[in-house]
Amino acid sequence: MCVSTPNIGEEEEEEEEEEEEEEEEEEEEEVEEEEEEEEEEEEEVDQVEEDQVEEDQEKEDQEVDQVEEDQEKEDQEENQEEDQEEDQEENQEENQEENQEEDQEEDQEEDQEEDQEEDQEEDQEEDQEEDQEEDQEEEDQEEEDQEGEDQEGNWNY
């Protein structure tokens, strides 16, 4: 029996060593698991950051696009306004020219009418003067004829 006792001590030592090894292995496994979890967490954090960066970039791109679109709209509106103003100016000029032409035509017609009226009046006056002169000549002739008859009549007596 004395011989078996040292064997029991060796077995206990071996068991203790095995237990220690198992504990070390478990600790190593735990450490590995923790490291894996940390890596996964880091990857998740990295992915979240990456997603956020992409989202921010998309937002920025959209804002830039919106600004460009707004600028294009503004430019179009300005061009439309300019075109409208030009059209208005052209229309005004055309209207002014048309009005001027109409006014000129009216003035010319009025001038022609006035000239015609003046010519008619002058012609009438000339005709009246001629008629008066003819009447006067006839009267003078009649008077002369009458005087001549009167003198002849006086000589006859």
Side-chain angles (χ1 to χ4, degrees):
M1 284 206 177
C2 284
V3 174
S4 60
T5 308
N7 284 340
I8 294 176
E10 282 177 23
E11 281 179 20
E12 282 180 3
E13 270 183 38
E14 282 178 16
E15 280 178 17
E16 281 180 17
E17 282 178 14
E18 281 176 17
E19 281 178 15
E20 283 178 13
E21 283 177 12
E22 280 178 15
E23 282 178 9
E24 283 178 12
E25 282 177 13
E26 283 177 9
E27 283 178 8
E28 284 177 9
E29 281 177 11
E30 283 179 13
V31 165
E32 282 178 10
E33 281 179 11
E34 285 178 6
E35 286 177 352
E36 280 179 10
E37 283 178 7
E38 283 178 6
E39 278 182 20
E40 284 178 6
E41 283 178 9
E42 283 179 3
E43 284 177 2
E44 283 178 8
V45 164
D46 286 351
Q47 188 61 45
V48 164
E49 286 177 353
E50 199 175 294
D51 290 351
Q52 187 63 45
V53 164
E54 283 181 6
E55 195 176 300
D56 290 350
Q57 186 61 45
E58 280 181 10
K59 278 183 180 173
E60 193 177 306
D61 289 351
Q62 282 178 348
E63 287 174 0
V64 164
D65 287 351
Q66 188 62 47
V67 163
E68 288 177 352
E69 202 173 292
D70 290 350
Q71 185 62 45
E72 280 181 12
K73 278 184 180 174
E74 194 177 303
D75 289 350
Q76 278 182 345
E77 287 175 1
E78 282 179 7
N79 286 339
Q80 276 183 341
E81 283 178 11
E82 285 177 5
D83 287 351
Q84 280 180 345
E85 284 177 7
E86 283 178 8
D87 286 351
Q88 276 183 345
E89 283 177 9
E90 282 178 12
N91 284 338
Q92 278 181 343
E93 284 177 9
E94 282 177 10
N95 286 339
Q96 276 182 344
E97 284 177 9
E98 282 177 14
N99 287 339
Q100 278 180 346
E101 284 176 7
E102 283 177 8
D103 286 351
Q104 277 181 344
E105 283 176 9
E106 283 178 9
D107 286 351
Q108 281 179 346
E109 283 176 9
E110 284 178 8
D111 286 351
Q112 277 181 346
E113 283 176 10
E114 282 178 10
D115 287 349
Q116 279 180 347
E117 283 177 10
E118 283 178 9
D119 287 350
Q120 278 181 347
E121 284 177 9
E122 283 178 10
D123 288 349
Q124 278 180 348
E125 283 177 8
E126 284 177 7
D127 286 350
Q128 276 181 347
E129 284 177 9
E130 284 177 6
D131 286 350
Q132 281 178 352
E133 283 177 9
E134 284 177 8
D135 287 351
Q136 189 63 44
E137 284 176 6
E138 282 178 17
E139 270 181 40
D140 289 351
Q141 189 61 45
E142 282 176 11
E143 278 180 20
E144 273 181 31
D145 289 349
Q146 188 64 41
E147 280 179 17
E149 282 177 20
D150 285 348
Q151 280 184 355
E152 278 179 23
N154 283 341
W155 286 339
N156 287 339
Y157 290 109

